[in-house]
Amino acid sequence: MRQHRLSLCGEHFLEWFIARTERFIEKYGMFGPEDRVLVAVSGGKDSLALWDVLLRLGYDVRALYINLGINGQRYSGESKARVERFAVEREGADFQVVDVRQAYGKSVPELASEKWGRKVCSLCGLVKRHIMNRMACEGGFAAVATGHNLDDEAAVLFQNVIHWQTGYLARQAPVLPSTHPRLARKVKPFFRFYERDTAAYALLRGIDYIYDECPYAEGATTIFYKELLNQLEARSRGAKQQFYLSFLQARQEEGLFSRAMEELELGECVRCGQPTTAPGLCAFCRLWEMS
Amino acid sequence: MRQHRLSLCGEHFLEWFIARTERFIEKYGMFGPEDRVLVAVSGGKDSLALWDVLLRLGYDVRALYINLGINGQRYSGESKARVERFAVEREGADFQVVDVRQAYGKSVPELASEKWGRKVCSLCGLVKRHIMNRMACEGGFAAVATGHNLDDEAAVLFQNVIHWQTGYLARQAPVLPSTHPRLARKVKPFFRFYERDTAAYALLRGIDYIYDECPYAEGATTIFYKELLNQLEARSRGAKQQFYLSFLQARQEEGLFSRAMEELELGECVRCGQPTTAPGLCAFCRLWEMS
């Protein structure tokens, strides 16, 4: 926690981390004690730490694990085992599983192999967003929570700025409100934590998580942007946080990217009924249509 | 010229470079054949190349060299010698000199040594902008032209984005129109060229320029940002250009940062009469006031 100029022992770090998460949940109006929250877990440090913290804070939380079928079930299998072990060790840690292959007929890599020119990571993101939203809406959850940390958010911001993708810049946020009855609120309670903090929390708490990056993420652009931002942070402590927070502030105070926001009009997919900006089928349903 | 996928021999490169400069001057409405243009020269490759190209294109151009007194005249002396040699070798290459120490009593480093907590580079920029504007207005020039290339502009954009300095983001442009009778138009005819292209032009043309960076620039933030952008460019060819051009496009098409632009109200400095947003003395006059 060099950016906070704090030195804490393990026990106090855990307390500090939990209290800070609660403060951000409240400050940014993510959800309240009365809300049912669906936390998306991958088996990695961030999402398992989030699940742990939300349980300790007494929120009404249930986890969702999406089996993407990465590496012939090997990577996904190991991830799922971490989720199962986590749940066994904790009271009230309920979770549900959606297996993409069972539900839709193909794993994400199988789907990707049929889609020329589409990257696995981009397809995977689309599939996960669709399923998270569907499970949240069908289950009557008030919000979907994901474990994105500050390093994740800053890297995405960086990528969006390098390409001046104003539509994405308009919508990147720690809280995405529901703008349609079938669109769940999305929240990121860890968005103010550096990655090293969420890793420290998981380690100190003794959470057994999957260390390896997804094999498809190797050489991914996001990882490259993270490395550039790490160089920035190494030169100027707190730079990453300042980059992201001053973006949120400038957008809020000066209405930046508001025009790109206005352009979004939501219809409903004729097949699955989920909100979409596309006419006819949503991007998710088009995936399966064409293959 | 890897980003253009062109392979040119030396002679055709020089032709291509000159034609392209002319096209950008016209496309962005920088100035016309009837305008008197003041080109700010430092003795470096970019500004001497710009002076050379503008002379060859037949524009009504005069150069301004500002002697900042860097390194006890050693760095500045060598820079000035390059400017003098350039002028001797070319017909119609007229230039004038403003010596900061003679005109105001102190060199830039002497001034900086008295200003605790102010960086030499920031002071130097302020001094140069003031003098360029004064000489342009007093001399009745239609525009001040500087040799900034794409690498320079992208690095400044990057720095402004990292800090979300919306005021600067509103005003960073290849052409800054005059918004006050005593504020000269500022233009950057090389803003679409990569630094390697302006360097190639200077070398092929046999221009003797000062290779060394200013000694105060060592470790400068702008150089650090240039290095990060070079990593980006190495990974994705053309990324730097796309970053800058998509910024200009998004700002123009979506009115980005327009609110930050509106807030600027110009008054006049009570001492020098130059436009300023500050009440009373402008930032330049305050420099000498306090020392």
Side-chain angles (χ1 to χ4, degrees), chain A residues 133-212:
Chain A
N133 188 60
R134 181 165 71 82
M135 300 315 286
C137 291
E138 288 180 9
F141 289 91
V144 174
T146 54
H148 294 96
N149 58 45
L150 182 62
D151 294 60
D152 298 324
E153 293 302 296
V156 170
L157 175 60
F158 193 60
Q159 183 162 13
N160 290 337
V161 155
I162 285 293
H163 300 96
W164 289 95
Q165 304 223 352
T166 52
Y168 293 156
L169 287 164
R171 274 174 280 279
Q172 188 186 353
V175 179
L176 270 184
S178 165
T179 54
H180 184 283
R182 298 178 87 166
L183 193 64
R185 189 194 311 160
K186 311 254 181 10
V187 299
K188 299 167 183 169
F190 282 177
F191 86 102
R192 294 281 303 262
F193 288 115
Y194 277 64
E195 186 157 14
R196 59 171 175 259
D197 289 339
T198 61
Y201 183 87
L203 285 168
L204 286 167
R205 186 60 83 198
I207 295 173
D208 175 29
Y209 63 86
I210 185 153
Y211 290 88
D212 299 331

Coordinates of all heavy atoms in Angstrom, one line a residue, chain A residues 133-212:
Chain A
N133 N -25.5 -11.4 -17.1 CA -26.7 -10.6 -17.1 C -28.0 -11.4 -17.0 O -28.9 -11.1 -16.3 CB -26.7 -9.7 -18.3 CG -27.9 -8.7 -18.3 OD1 -27.9 -7.9 -17.4 ND2 -28.8 -8.8 -19.2
R134 N -27.9 -12.5 -17.8 CA -29.1 -13.4 -17.8 C -29.3 -14.0 -16.4 O -30.5 -14.0 -15.9 CB -28.9 -14.5 -18.8 CG -30.0 -15.5 -18.9 CD -30.0 -16.4 -20.2 NE -28.9 -17.4 -20.1 CZ -29.0 -18.5 -19.5 NH1 -30.1 -18.9 -18.9 NH2 -28.0 -19.4 -19.6
M135 N -28.3 -14.5 -15.8 CA -28.4 -15.1 -14.5 C -28.9 -14.1 -13.4 O -29.7 -14.5 -12.5 CB -27.1 -15.8 -14.0 CG -26.7 -16.9 -15.0 SD -27.9 -18.1 -15.6 CE -28.2 -19.0 -14.1
A136 N -28.4 -12.9 -13.5 CA -28.8 -11.9 -12.6 C -30.3 -11.5 -12.7 O -31.0 -11.4 -11.8 CB -27.9 -10.6 -12.8
C137 N -30.7 -11.4 -14.0 CA -32.1 -11.0 -14.2 C -33.1 -12.1 -13.9 O -34.1 -11.9 -13.2 CB -32.3 -10.5 -15.7 SG -31.5 -9.0 -16.0
E138 N -32.7 -13.3 -14.3 CA -33.6 -14.5 -14.0 C -33.7 -14.8 -12.6 O -34.7 -15.2 -12.0 CB -33.1 -15.7 -14.8 CG -33.3 -15.6 -16.3 CD -32.8 -16.9 -17.1 OE1 -32.4 -17.9 -16.4 OE2 -32.8 -16.8 -18.3
G139 N -32.5 -14.5 -11.9 CA -32.5 -14.8 -10.4 C -33.0 -13.7 -9.6 O -33.0 -13.8 -8.3
G140 N -33.4 -12.6 -10.2 CA -33.9 -11.4 -9.4 C -32.8 -10.8 -8.5 O -33.1 -10.2 -7.5
F141 N -31.6 -10.7 -9.0 CA -30.5 -10.1 -8.3 C -30.5 -8.6 -8.6 O -30.8 -8.2 -9.7 CB -29.1 -10.7 -8.7 CG -28.9 -12.0 -8.1 CD1 -29.3 -13.2 -8.9 CD2 -28.4 -12.2 -6.9 CE1 -29.1 -14.4 -8.4 CE2 -28.2 -13.5 -6.4 CZ -28.5 -14.6 -7.1
A142 N -30.2 -7.8 -7.6 CA -30.1 -6.3 -7.7 C -28.9 -5.9 -8.5 O -28.9 -4.8 -9.2 CB -30.2 -5.6 -6.4
A143 N -27.8 -6.7 -8.4 CA -26.6 -6.3 -9.1 C -25.7 -7.4 -9.3 O -25.8 -8.5 -8.6 CB -25.8 -5.2 -8.2
V144 N -24.8 -7.3 -10.3 CA -23.8 -8.3 -10.6 C -22.5 -7.6 -10.1 O -22.2 -6.5 -10.6 CB -23.6 -8.6 -12.1 CG1 -22.4 -9.5 -12.3 CG2 -24.9 -9.3 -12.6
A145 N -21.7 -8.2 -9.2 CA -20.4 -7.7 -8.8 C -19.3 -8.5 -9.4 O -19.3 -9.7 -9.4 CB -20.4 -7.7 -7.3
T146 N -18.3 -7.8 -9.9 CA -17.1 -8.4 -10.5 C -15.8 -7.9 -9.7 O -15.9 -6.8 -9.1 CB -16.9 -8.1 -12.0 OG1 -16.9 -6.7 -12.2 CG2 -18.0 -8.8 -12.8
G147 N -14.8 -8.7 -9.8 CA -13.6 -8.4 -9.0 C -12.6 -7.5 -9.6 O -11.4 -7.4 -9.2
H148 N -13.0 -6.7 -10.7 CA -12.0 -5.8 -11.3 C -11.3 -4.9 -10.3 O -12.0 -4.2 -9.5 CB -12.7 -5.0 -12.4 CG -13.3 -5.8 -13.5 ND1 -14.6 -6.3 -13.6 CD2 -12.6 -6.3 -14.7 CE1 -14.7 -7.0 -14.7 NE2 -13.6 -7.0 -15.4
N149 N -10.0 -4.8 -10.4 CA -9.3 -3.9 -9.6 C -8.8 -2.7 -10.4 O -9.1 -2.5 -11.6 CB -8.1 -4.6 -8.9 CG -7.2 -5.2 -10.0 OD1 -6.8 -4.5 -11.0 ND2 -6.8 -6.5 -9.8
L150 N -8.1 -1.8 -9.7 CA -7.7 -0.5 -10.3 C -6.8 -0.8 -11.5 O -6.9 -0.1 -12.5 CB -6.9 0.3 -9.2 CG -6.5 1.7 -9.7 CD1 -7.6 2.6 -10.1 CD2 -5.7 2.4 -8.6
D151 N -5.9 -1.8 -11.4 CA -5.0 -2.1 -12.5 C -5.8 -2.5 -13.8 O -5.5 -2.1 -14.9 CB -4.0 -3.2 -12.2 CG -3.1 -2.8 -11.1 OD1 -3.5 -2.4 -10.0 OD2 -1.8 -2.8 -11.3
D152 N -6.9 -3.3 -13.5 CA -7.7 -3.7 -14.7 C -8.4 -2.5 -15.3 O -8.4 -2.3 -16.5 CB -8.8 -4.6 -14.2 CG -8.3 -5.9 -13.6 OD1 -7.3 -6.4 -14.1 OD2 -8.9 -6.4 -12.6
E153 N -9.0 -1.6 -14.4 CA -9.8 -0.5 -14.9 C -8.9 0.5 -15.6 O -9.2 1.1 -16.6 CB -10.5 0.2 -13.7 CG -11.6 -0.7 -13.1 CD -12.6 -1.2 -14.2 OE1 -13.3 -0.3 -14.7 OE2 -12.7 -2.4 -14.5
A154 N -7.7 0.8 -15.0 CA -6.8 1.7 -15.6 C -6.3 1.2 -17.0 O -6.1 2.0 -17.9 CB -5.6 2.0 -14.7
A155 N -6.1 -0.1 -17.1 CA -5.6 -0.6 -18.4 C -6.7 -0.5 -19.5 O -6.4 -0.2 -20.6 CB -5.2 -2.1 -18.2
V156 N -7.9 -0.7 -19.1 CA -9.0 -0.6 -20.1 C -9.2 0.9 -20.4 O -9.4 1.2 -21.6 CB -10.3 -1.2 -19.5 CG1 -11.5 -0.8 -20.4 CG2 -10.2 -2.7 -19.3
L157 N -9.1 1.7 -19.4 CA -9.2 3.2 -19.7 C -8.1 3.6 -20.7 O -8.3 4.3 -21.7 CB -9.1 4.0 -18.4 CG -9.0 5.5 -18.6 CD1 -10.3 6.0 -19.2 CD2 -8.8 6.2 -17.2
F158 N -6.9 3.1 -20.4 CA -5.7 3.4 -21.3 C -6.0 3.0 -22.7 O -5.8 3.7 -23.7 CB -4.5 2.7 -20.7 CG -3.2 3.1 -21.3 CD1 -2.8 4.5 -21.2 CD2 -2.4 2.2 -21.9 CE1 -1.6 4.9 -21.7 CE2 -1.2 2.7 -22.4 CZ -0.8 4.0 -22.3
Q159 N -6.5 1.8 -22.8 CA -6.8 1.2 -24.2 C -7.8 2.1 -24.9 O -7.7 2.4 -26.1 CB -7.3 -0.2 -24.0 CG -7.6 -0.9 -25.3 CD -7.6 -2.4 -25.1 OE1 -7.7 -2.9 -24.0 NE2 -7.6 -3.2 -26.2
N160 N -8.9 2.4 -24.1 CA -9.9 3.2 -24.7 C -9.5 4.6 -25.1 O -9.9 5.2 -26.1 CB -11.1 3.4 -23.8 CG -11.8 2.0 -23.6 OD1 -11.8 1.2 -24.5 ND2 -12.5 1.9 -22.5
V161 N -8.5 5.2 -24.3 CA -8.0 6.5 -24.6 C -7.1 6.5 -25.8 O -7.1 7.4 -26.7 CB -7.3 7.1 -23.4 CG1 -6.3 8.2 -23.8 CG2 -8.4 7.7 -22.4
I162 N -6.3 5.5 -25.9 CA -5.3 5.4 -27.0 C -6.1 5.3 -28.3 O -5.6 5.9 -29.4 CB -4.4 4.1 -26.8 CG1 -3.4 4.3 -25.7 CG2 -3.7 3.7 -28.1 CD1 -2.3 5.4 -26.1
H163 N -7.2 4.8 -28.3 CA -8.0 4.7 -29.6 C -9.2 5.7 -29.6 O -10.0 5.7 -30.5 CB -8.6 3.3 -29.8 CG -7.6 2.2 -29.9 ND1 -7.1 1.5 -28.8 CD2 -6.8 1.9 -30.9 CE1 -6.2 0.7 -29.2 NE2 -5.9 0.9 -30.5
W164 N -9.3 6.5 -28.5 CA -10.4 7.5 -28.4 C -11.7 6.9 -28.7 O -12.5 7.4 -29.5 CB -10.1 8.8 -29.2 CG -9.0 9.5 -28.5 CD1 -7.6 9.4 -28.8 CD2 -9.1 10.4 -27.4 NE1 -6.9 10.2 -27.9 CE2 -7.8 10.8 -27.1 CE3 -10.1 10.9 -26.6 CZ2 -7.5 11.7 -26.0 CZ3 -9.9 11.7 -25.5 CH2 -8.6 12.1 -25.3
Q165 N -12.0 5.8 -28.0 CA -13.3 5.1 -28.2 C -14.3 5.8 -27.3 O -14.5 5.3 -26.1 CB -13.1 3.6 -27.9 CG -12.0 3.0 -28.7 CD -12.4 1.6 -29.2 OE1 -13.4 1.1 -28.8 NE2 -11.6 1.0 -30.1
T166 N -14.9 6.8 -27.8 CA -15.7 7.6 -26.9 C -16.9 6.9 -26.4 O -17.4 7.2 -25.3 CB -16.1 8.9 -27.6 OG1 -16.7 8.6 -28.9 CG2 -14.9 9.8 -27.9
G167 N -17.4 6.0 -27.1 CA -18.6 5.2 -26.6 C -18.2 4.4 -25.4 O -18.9 4.4 -24.4
Y168 N -17.0 3.8 -25.4 CA -16.6 3.0 -24.3 C -16.2 3.9 -23.1 O -16.4 3.7 -22.0 CB -15.3 2.2 -24.6 CG -15.6 1.0 -25.6 CD1 -14.6 0.5 -26.4 CD2 -16.9 0.5 -25.7 CE1 -14.8 -0.5 -27.3 CE2 -17.1 -0.6 -26.6 CZ -16.1 -1.1 -27.4 OH -16.3 -2.1 -28.3
L169 N -15.6 5.1 -23.5 CA -15.2 6.0 -22.5 C -16.4 6.6 -21.7 O -16.3 7.0 -20.6 CB -14.3 7.2 -23.1 CG -12.9 6.8 -23.5 CD1 -12.3 7.8 -24.4 CD2 -12.0 6.6 -22.3
A170 N -17.5 6.7 -22.4 CA -18.7 7.2 -21.8 C -19.3 6.2 -20.8 O -19.9 6.6 -19.8 CB -19.8 7.5 -22.9
R171 N -19.0 4.9 -21.0 CA -19.7 3.9 -20.2 C -18.8 3.2 -19.2 O -19.3 2.4 -18.4 CB -20.4 2.9 -21.1 CG -21.8 3.3 -21.5 CD -22.4 2.4 -22.5 NE -21.9 2.6 -23.9 CZ -22.3 3.6 -24.7 NH1 -23.2 4.4 -24.3 NH2 -21.7 3.7 -25.8
Q172 N -17.5 3.4 -19.3 CA -16.6 2.7 -18.3 C -16.8 3.3 -16.9 O -16.5 4.5 -16.7 CB -15.1 2.9 -18.7 CG -14.2 2.0 -17.9 CD -12.8 2.2 -18.2 OE1 -12.4 2.9 -19.1 NE2 -11.9 1.6 -17.4
A173 N -17.2 2.5 -16.0 CA -17.5 3.1 -14.6 C -17.5 2.0 -13.6 O -17.8 0.8 -13.9 CB -18.9 3.8 -14.7
P174 N -17.3 2.4 -12.3 CA -17.4 1.4 -11.2 C -18.8 1.0 -10.9 O -19.0 -0.1 -10.4 CB -16.8 2.2 -10.0 CG -16.9 3.6 -10.4 CD -16.8 3.7 -11.9
V175 N -19.8 1.8 -11.3 CA -21.2 1.4 -11.2 C -21.9 1.7 -12.5 O -21.9 2.8 -13.0 CB -21.9 2.2 -10.1 CG1 -23.4 1.7 -10.0 CG2 -21.2 2.0 -8.8
L176 N -22.4 0.6 -13.2 CA -23.2 0.9 -14.4 C -24.7 0.6 -14.0 O -25.0 -0.5 -13.7 CB -22.8 -0.1 -15.5 CG -21.7 0.3 -16.4 CD1 -21.5 -0.7 -17.5 CD2 -22.0 1.7 -17.1
P177 N -25.5 1.6 -14.0 CA -26.9 1.5 -13.5 C -27.6 0.6 -14.6 O -27.2 0.5 -15.7 CB -27.4 2.9 -13.5 CG -26.5 3.7 -14.3 CD -25.2 3.0 -14.3
S178 N -28.7 0.1 -14.1 CA -29.6 -0.6 -15.0 C -30.4 0.4 -15.8 O -31.1 1.2 -15.2 CB -30.5 -1.6 -14.2 OG -31.6 -2.0 -15.0
T179 N -30.3 0.3 -17.1 CA -31.1 1.3 -17.9 C -32.2 0.6 -18.7 O -32.8 1.1 -19.6 CB -30.2 2.0 -18.9 OG1 -29.5 0.9 -19.7 CG2 -29.1 2.8 -18.2
H180 N -32.5 -0.7 -18.2 CA -33.5 -1.5 -18.9 C -33.9 -2.6 -17.9 O -33.1 -3.0 -17.2 CB -32.9 -2.1 -20.2 CG -33.8 -2.8 -21.1 ND1 -34.3 -4.1 -20.7 CD2 -34.4 -2.5 -22.2 CE1 -35.1 -4.5 -21.7 NE2 -35.2 -3.6 -22.6
P181 N -35.2 -2.9 -17.9 CA -35.7 -3.9 -17.0 C -34.9 -5.2 -17.0 O -34.8 -6.0 -16.0 CB -37.1 -4.2 -17.3 CG -37.5 -3.0 -18.1 CD -36.3 -2.4 -18.8
R182 N -34.3 -5.6 -18.2 CA -33.6 -6.8 -18.3 C -32.1 -6.6 -18.4 O -31.4 -7.4 -18.9 CB -34.1 -7.6 -19.5 CG -35.6 -8.0 -19.4 CD -36.1 -8.7 -20.6 NE -35.9 -10.1 -20.5 CZ -36.5 -11.0 -21.2 NH1 -37.4 -10.6 -22.1 NH2 -36.3 -12.3 -21.1
L183 N -31.6 -5.5 -17.9 CA -30.2 -5.2 -17.8 C -29.8 -5.0 -16.3 O -30.4 -4.1 -15.7 CB -29.9 -4.0 -18.6 CG -28.4 -3.7 -18.9 CD1 -27.9 -4.7 -19.8 CD2 -28.3 -2.3 -19.6
A184 N -29.0 -5.9 -15.8 CA -28.6 -5.8 -14.4 C -27.7 -4.7 -14.1 O -26.9 -4.4 -15.0 CB -28.0 -7.2 -14.0
R185 N -27.7 -4.2 -12.9 CA -26.7 -3.2 -12.5 C -25.4 -3.9 -12.4 O -25.3 -5.0 -11.9 CB -27.1 -2.6 -11.2 CG -26.2 -1.4 -10.7 CD -26.4 -1.1 -9.3 NE -27.8 -1.0 -8.9 CZ -28.3 -1.1 -7.7 NH1 -27.5 -1.3 -6.7 NH2 -29.6 -0.9 -7.4
K186 N -24.3 -3.3 -12.8 CA -23.0 -3.9 -12.7 C -22.1 -3.0 -11.8 O -22.0 -1.8 -11.9 CB -22.3 -3.9 -14.1 CG -23.1 -4.5 -15.2 CD -22.7 -5.8 -15.6 CE -23.5 -6.4 -16.7 NZ -24.4 -5.5 -17.4
V187 N -21.5 -3.7 -10.8 CA -20.7 -3.0 -9.8 C -19.3 -3.6 -9.7 O -19.1 -4.8 -9.8 CB -21.4 -2.9 -8.5 CG1 -22.7 -2.1 -8.6 CG2 -21.6 -4.2 -7.9
K188 N -18.3 -2.8 -9.3 CA -16.9 -3.3 -9.1 C -16.4 -2.8 -7.8 O -15.7 -1.8 -7.7 CB -16.0 -2.7 -10.3 CG -16.5 -3.2 -11.7 CD -15.8 -2.4 -12.8 CE -16.4 -2.9 -14.1 NZ -16.0 -2.0 -15.2
P189 N -16.7 -3.5 -6.7 CA -16.3 -3.0 -5.4 C -14.8 -2.8 -5.2 O -14.4 -2.1 -4.3 CB -16.9 -4.0 -4.4 CG -18.0 -4.7 -5.2 CD -17.5 -4.7 -6.7
F190 N -14.0 -3.5 -6.0 CA -12.5 -3.4 -5.8 C -11.9 -2.4 -6.7 O -10.6 -2.4 -6.8 CB -11.9 -4.8 -6.0 CG -12.1 -5.8 -4.9 CD1 -11.6 -7.1 -5.0 CD2 -12.6 -5.4 -3.7 CE1 -11.7 -8.0 -4.0 CE2 -12.8 -6.3 -2.7 CZ -12.3 -7.6 -2.8
F191 N -12.6 -1.6 -7.4 CA -12.0 -0.8 -8.4 C -11.0 0.3 -7.9 O -10.2 0.8 -8.6 CB -13.1 -0.1 -9.2 CG -13.6 1.2 -8.7 CD1 -13.1 2.5 -9.2 CD2 -14.4 1.3 -7.6 CE1 -13.5 3.7 -8.7 CE2 -14.9 2.5 -7.1 CZ -14.4 3.7 -7.6
R192 N -11.0 0.5 -6.6 CA -10.1 1.4 -6.0 C -8.8 0.8 -5.5 O -7.9 1.4 -5.0 CB -10.7 2.3 -4.9 CG -11.9 3.2 -5.3 CD -11.3 4.5 -5.9 NE -10.4 5.2 -5.0 CZ -10.8 6.2 -4.2 NH1 -12.1 6.6 -4.2 NH2 -9.9 6.8 -3.5
F193 N -8.8 -0.6 -5.5 CA -7.6 -1.3 -5.0 C -6.6 -1.6 -6.1 O -7.0 -2.1 -7.2 CB -8.0 -2.6 -4.4 CG -8.7 -2.5 -3.0 CD1 -10.0 -2.9 -2.9 CD2 -8.1 -2.1 -1.9 CE1 -10.7 -2.8 -1.7 CE2 -8.7 -2.0 -0.7 CZ -10.0 -2.4 -0.6
Y194 N -5.3 -1.4 -5.8 CA -4.3 -1.9 -6.7 C -4.3 -3.4 -6.7 O -4.7 -4.0 -5.7 CB -2.9 -1.4 -6.2 CG -2.6 0.0 -6.7 CD1 -3.4 1.1 -6.2 CD2 -1.6 0.3 -7.6 CE1 -3.1 2.4 -6.7 CE2 -1.3 1.6 -8.0 CZ -2.0 2.6 -7.6 OH -1.8 3.9 -8.0
E195 N -3.8 -4.0 -7.8 CA -3.8 -5.4 -7.9 C -3.0 -6.0 -6.8 O -3.3 -7.1 -6.3 CB -3.2 -5.8 -9.3 CG -3.3 -7.2 -9.6 CD -3.2 -7.5 -11.1 OE1 -2.9 -6.6 -11.9 OE2 -3.5 -8.7 -11.4
R196 N -1.9 -5.4 -6.4 CA -1.1 -6.0 -5.3 C -1.8 -6.0 -4.0 O -1.6 -6.9 -3.2 CB 0.2 -5.2 -5.1 CG 0.0 -3.7 -4.8 CD 1.3 -3.0 -4.4 NE 1.1 -1.6 -4.2 CZ 1.3 -0.7 -5.1 NH1 1.9 -1.0 -6.2 NH2 1.0 0.6 -4.9
D197 N -2.8 -5.2 -3.8 CA -3.6 -5.2 -2.6 C -4.6 -6.4 -2.6 O -4.8 -7.1 -1.6 CB -4.4 -3.9 -2.4 CG -3.5 -2.8 -2.0 OD1 -2.4 -3.0 -1.5 OD2 -3.8 -1.6 -2.2
T198 N -5.2 -6.6 -3.7 CA -6.2 -7.8 -3.8 C -5.4 -9.1 -3.7 O -5.8 -10.0 -3.0 CB -7.0 -7.8 -5.0 OG1 -6.2 -7.9 -6.2 CG2 -7.9 -6.5 -5.2
A199 N -4.2 -9.1 -4.3 CA -3.3 -10.3 -4.2 C -2.9 -10.5 -2.7 O -3.0 -11.6 -2.2 CB -2.1 -10.2 -5.1
A200 N -2.5 -9.4 -2.0 CA -2.1 -9.5 -0.6 C -3.3 -10.0 0.2 O -3.1 -10.9 1.1 CB -1.6 -8.2 -0.1
Y201 N -4.5 -9.5 -0.1 CA -5.7 -10.0 0.7 C -5.9 -11.5 0.5 O -6.0 -12.2 1.5 CB -6.9 -9.2 0.3 CG -8.1 -9.6 1.1 CD1 -8.4 -9.0 2.4 CD2 -8.9 -10.7 0.7 CE1 -9.4 -9.4 3.2 CE2 -10.0 -11.1 1.5 CZ -10.3 -10.5 2.7 OH -11.3 -10.9 3.5
A202 N -5.8 -12.0 -0.7 CA -6.1 -13.4 -1.0 C -5.0 -14.2 -0.3 O -5.3 -15.3 0.3 CB -6.1 -13.6 -2.5
L203 N -3.8 -13.8 -0.4 CA -2.7 -14.6 0.2 C -2.8 -14.6 1.8 O -2.7 -15.7 2.4 CB -1.3 -14.0 -0.1 CG -0.9 -14.2 -1.6 CD1 0.3 -13.4 -2.0 CD2 -0.5 -15.7 -1.8
L204 N -3.0 -13.4 2.4 CA -3.1 -13.4 3.8 C -4.3 -14.1 4.3 O -4.3 -14.7 5.4 CB -3.2 -11.9 4.3 CG -1.9 -11.1 4.2 CD1 -2.1 -9.6 4.3 CD2 -0.9 -11.6 5.2
R205 N -5.4 -14.2 3.6 CA -6.6 -14.9 4.0 C -6.4 -16.4 3.7 O -7.3 -17.1 4.1 CB -7.8 -14.3 3.2 CG -9.1 -14.8 3.5 CD -9.5 -14.5 5.0 NE -10.0 -13.1 5.2 CZ -10.0 -12.5 6.4 NH1 -9.6 -13.2 7.5 NH2 -10.5 -11.3 6.5
G206 N -5.4 -16.8 3.0 CA -5.2 -18.2 2.7 C -6.1 -18.7 1.7 O -6.4 -19.9 1.7
I207 N -6.5 -17.8 0.8 CA -7.4 -18.3 -0.3 C -6.6 -19.0 -1.3 O -5.6 -18.5 -1.8 CB -8.2 -17.1 -0.9 CG1 -9.1 -16.5 0.1 CG2 -8.9 -17.6 -2.2 CD1 -9.8 -15.2 -0.4
D208 N -7.0 -20.2 -1.7 CA -6.3 -21.0 -2.7 C -6.9 -20.6 -4.1 O -8.0 -21.0 -4.4 CB -6.5 -22.5 -2.4 CG -5.9 -23.4 -3.6 OD1 -4.9 -22.9 -4.2 OD2 -6.5 -24.5 -3.8
Y209 N -6.2 -19.8 -4.8 CA -6.7 -19.3 -6.1 C -5.8 -19.8 -7.2 O -4.7 -20.2 -7.0 CB -6.9 -17.8 -6.1 CG -5.6 -17.0 -6.0 CD1 -4.8 -16.7 -7.1 CD2 -5.2 -16.5 -4.7 CE1 -3.7 -15.9 -6.9 CE2 -4.0 -15.8 -4.6 CZ -3.3 -15.5 -5.7 OH -2.1 -14.8 -5.6
I210 N -6.3 -19.7 -8.5 CA -5.5 -20.1 -9.6 C -4.6 -18.9 -10.0 O -5.0 -17.8 -10.2 CB -6.4 -20.5 -10.8 CG1 -5.6 -21.1 -11.9 CG2 -7.4 -19.4 -11.3 CD1 -6.3 -22.1 -12.8
Y211 N -3.3 -19.3 -9.9 CA -2.2 -18.2 -10.2 C -2.1 -17.9 -11.6 O -1.8 -16.8 -12.0 CB -0.9 -18.7 -9.6 CG -0.8 -18.8 -8.1 CD1 -1.2 -20.0 -7.5 CD2 -0.3 -17.8 -7.4 CE1 -1.1 -20.1 -6.1 CE2 -0.2 -17.8 -6.0 CZ -0.6 -19.0 -5.3 OH -0.6 -19.1 -4.0
D212 N -2.1 -18.9 -12.4 CA -1.8 -18.7 -13.9 C -2.8 -17.8 -14.5 O -4.0 -17.9 -14.3 CB -1.8 -20.1 -14.6 CG -0.7 -20.9 -14.0 OD1 0.3 -20.4 -13.5 OD2 -0.8 -22.2 -14.0

